Amino acid sequence: MSRLLFALVLLGFVAACSSTDTRAPSNLENACAILKERPHFKRAFSTTQRKWGVPVHVQMAVLYQESKFIGNARTPHKYALGVLPMGRQSSAYGYAQALDGTWDEYKRETRSRGARRDDIRDATDFMGWYMNESRDRNGVSLHDARAQYLNYHEGHTGYARGNYRNKPWLTRIADDVASRSARYQQQLKSCSRIW
């Protein structure tokens, strides 16, 4: 009996570790290549699109910008005097780079107590929830990758205040997210056989 228990515990540990992708897909410029390399992404994106209405190409463009599709992505360290590590720049973690407080709010509101930021299914579901909040609070279309990204980065209140208008670097990034979203959309049309 103890061997069976040990085997089950080991299997559970391996399964838990294998759900996080710790490296980026090999070709980040091609949506079809990403989905071919990571078929579990396709299932997660499709589920979120059906549940929340957020197009796959919008999800993918935001995930690219946030984490390059790396499940355990973290923000860089802060340093005092340029050398002494002082912790991370923020609590952002995982595929969607969700902050601790926002992630906790998502888990509470969706009753997803066991959700993990390093699980692609949970991360895309979080994005669907958050982007619907952006639509409801700020009138942003689920298809508008640029405005959705600005909401995502600045928070709903910051976006409503227009904080991003004083950040030219951020508006450039949001433009890049919109361009990538359009490119991914075109690519996904061409690889419908895997889609």
Side-chain angles (χ1 to χ4, degrees):
M1 185 65 170
S2 64
R3 282 190 217 169
L4 179 60
L5 182 60
F6 176 76
L8 289 173
V9 169
L10 184 62
L11 182 63
F13 177 77
V14 170
C17 292
S18 67
S19 66
T20 301
D21 295 295
T22 57
R23 61 176 181 74
S26 54
N27 183 358
L28 293 172
E29 300 306 313
N30 188 299
C32 300
I34 292 168
L35 297 179
K36 187 174 181 185
E37 186 175 334
R38 307 265 171 91
H40 57 292
F41 281 16
K42 182 179 111 171
R43 291 186 295 274
F45 294 139
S46 296
T47 299
T48 295
Q49 182 171 0
R50 279 191 308 275
K51 180 177 178 182
W52 297 104
V54 179
V56 171
H57 55 92
V58 173
Q59 295 174 58
M60 290 183 76
V62 172
L63 277 182
Y64 169 88
Q65 184 59 45
E66 290 300 292
S67 68
K68 306 295 188 276
F69 303 97
I70 297 171
N72 63 351
R74 293 183 184 275
T75 58
H77 285 282
K78 293 185 290 187
Y79 292 92
L81 305 172
V83 292
L84 300 172
M86 301 295 293
R88 301 277 177 185
Q89 291 177 359
S90 78
S91 64
Y93 175 72
Y95 289 107
Q97 289 294 282
L99 298 170
D100 289 350
T102 312
W103 187 258
D104 290 343
E105 182 183 349
Y106 156 74
K107 290 196 310 184
R108 231 180 2 263
E109 287 190 14
T110 61
R111 296 189 174 118
S112 303
R113 289 191 326 222
R116 293 183 6 232
R117 290 180 276 185
D118 60 0
D119 184 312
I120 189 66
R121 294 164 302 183
D122 295 332
T124 59
D125 191 65
F126 166 81
M127 287 176 45
W129 167 80
Y130 194 89
M131 290 180 179
N132 272 264
E133 291 286 314
S134 299
R135 181 197 61 202
D136 296 346
R137 292 182 187 190
N138 292 325
V140 175
S141 167
L142 297 175
H143 297 267
D144 185 345
R146 183 182 189 278
Q148 283 290 352
Y149 180 74
L150 289 170
N151 264 274
Y152 203 80
H153 190 277
E154 294 297 282
H156 298 121
T157 304
Y159 179 86
R161 288 181 184 149
N163 293 353
Y164 61 91
R165 291 186 187 107
N166 298 322
K167 299 176 181 176
W169 60 269
L170 179 59
T171 56
R172 279 192 303 276
I173 290 172
D175 290 340
D176 290 346
V177 170
S179 296
R180 182 169 298 278
S181 177
R183 193 163 55 252
Y184 280 169
Q185 182 179 26
Q186 287 303 312
Q187 292 167 348
L188 290 170
K189 287 179 185 175
S190 72
C191 64
S192 59
R193 69 189 179 284
I194 66 164
W195 195 237

